[in-house]
Amino acid sequence: MTDPLHGYISSRILGELHRADRDFLVTTSVLDEVTAERARALGLGTPAKRLQSLRAVRLPVVWSHGGRTMRCHPRLREFLLEQLEHRDDAQLRRIRRAHGGLLAGEGHDEEATEVLLQAGEVAEARVCAARVIRHVIERLDLPVAERWLEAFGTVGSVGHEPTELTTARLMLAWARDDPRGGVAIADALLESGVREEVAEASQRAAALMIYCYAQCGRVEDVDEILRLADPGGEVAAVRYGLGTIYPSYRTDTPPELTGGPFDAAVLVAKYWFGHLTDLDVSLQSHWGTSLATPWQIGALRAQGHTRRALEPYERTRDSVSNSLSLGVVVPELLMDAGRPAEAIAALEEGRKFALDTGAHAWYLGFTEGLVKLRIVDHRDAAASMGLLDELEKDPLIEHALQLRAKARTWRGWLLLRGGADVEALAWLRDAVSLLETSGLFLELPIAAVLLAEAERRTDHEDEADRAADLALETSGRLGSHHVLLRILTEFPAVASRRIDAEADTDTPWHAVGRALAAQGKANIQVTERTLKVTVTELGRHALAVDGVEAHLRISKSLELLSYLSSRHGHAADRRDVLDALFTRDDRSTRAYLRQAVHQLNLALPPRLRLVVEQNRLALADEVVRGCQSLRFEADLAQAHRLTGRARLSAIEAVLARNEGDFLPDRTSQWVEERRRTLSQQAADALSSAAELALRLHQYGDAARLCDRATALDPLREVAWRVRMRAANALGDDDGVLTAFLGCEAALARIDASPSPSTCKLLRQLQR
């Protein structure tokens, strides 16, 4: 169907112009702004005369610069470009070639490349593209760069093209997670006899060839390129990153960050070296940000910020260009979030992708990661041993120290679980030695705890204590106890033995023990934006769906929801529900319960409604994740995994947003028990925060937190001792005695008295 406006332009505007003016308008429609100089560059004669003639008629154009520059209305220009397409091919090619040359001369190389390719001028387009393609790739316009390079020729032609374009091909291979493709380019250069020349001329090309060769296990080629390339800048960044896998490339000092994409290689290394707080940086390059994002997610996860890590993962999982890196860190995150099936599926997918792209080092990494998660999830041990045997037989494992150390750690773990303690000890000693000497601290707390368990089982008590202390020391270097606490959940005796061996009662191991006790609900991880149902339980009791509060006719409906969420498996038999909510089971209470279930299901979305099967009631997982009390416990568990000021801030933040009694308008026995449990957890957190504030020399905060802790639990003697120390640090001698007397009075209510440790502390502080 003909556009009516186009018909009007054709008949009433262009139809009334002189032919020369009409042809001038059509030809110059390729220009956004028309001047005499730019029109002349298109090969048009007397352009000033034509512009003067056009100024004399009424046209939908804007004139500027004293009438020397013309800009057509978008609809007019659209029509003119359509008319231009009716010119013969030779004319069109001439105009486009001239237009491309004009754009190139004005410094618009990207636009010039497109126009010249349209004109079939591949050689000229190649020259323009070489100047700009790096920036196109760095802003992640990968399809544009791929289309250009395809027009310029195949990989086999790389020996005869500008180095900038060859480098761009390597950049695309990196961006597309295609190390095999990058190796094919490097090998084509070698076959053409120019690989050495390119490596010496372009630091970026050299860095990318090193990366691709290393990921494909071509260590000899890596060594050759390193010998040829400038050792600074981007080559140094890639070498530093590879140093986490191949110890022969390890350098002690990390390169300075530049804001570019190769900073990602430095961040990868810092992740495995355990410098987790160093990953909280912003990069100037869009591509660099994309490359760094997976490792920043991993750092958040390793510090125990599971919920914070889930948010960028959910936001970027479909847009991050480097799925291999994401595939390394995300399974651990999903496992921490209580989603083991997704985690293992992600690793299986990563293995397949690495195999398909020839990323052999990545394939081995995914394999050992799969073994680890299978162990954590208690899956087939024999199958896991088979995968480890596959790793040990691979020739690359002798070069790849990190993979070798971790594979031996997981083998030791499996052997411990199977009771082969002596055999496990040998593997774990080797693994810990490798990780410690290479500075790969991220996984060292796990290996050290496993070693401590193996040493203890084989009656090496001193060695067991040293291994446990190594785990704690390394965990402190990470800035978080998250990794340590995860492994201690399976081997809690490692912590218990160290706590029992301590003469004092306020040691770092005691803090770890308290944090370990708080981990029960830690797998309830959600992002705020994914919650459809939220249940407020502290300070008030309310149900909201999609942010809109529901008004339930029966108050027991909401109590039923909270009761089920507090039960193991988030389900209960009808008889237990009746006993908890009504303290009796008869016809009237059963009818009331049916109405409570009905009202609750009317308020919930259909797919999240309460399930009633065979006299058993169960909540949907998404509803459970929205319950405030469970999220409070999960957030506290996460906070306890942190160390230093981060832990103190996290605890205070959790308590600040969860103030008030649990279900304040309810008096059921189960509510009272749950209320006591949550209050105890809050007191534990306050006491822990007070101890930490004291160690950080924040004495006023320590005193304030102790007062809150003892208000909740007056019998918490450790909090009274911290209060005494804080008062002493502030020079408040009366405060020391007041705190002791407060402790004494609280304990007297249960016919107890302060412990010898507390009395001894009073004497020490009063000297």
Side-chain angles (χ1 to χ4, degrees), residues 137 140 142 169-178 208 211 287 290-291 320-323:
I137 295 173
L140 294 179
L142 305 185
R169 295 183 191 274
L170 290 164
M171 289 171 70
L172 279 174
W174 189 20
R176 293 299 193 197
D177 280 329
D178 183 19
L208 290 165
Y211 172 82
W287 188 26
S290 173
L291 293 168
V320 174
S321 61
N322 53 330
S323 55

Side-chain angles (χ1 to χ4, degrees), residues 484-500:
L484 176 64
L485 291 170
R486 294 292 287 179
I487 187 63
L488 285 175
T489 57
E490 178 163 348
F491 297 98
V494 172
S496 297
R497 288 191 293 264
R498 291 301 295 117
I499 290 170
D500 290 343

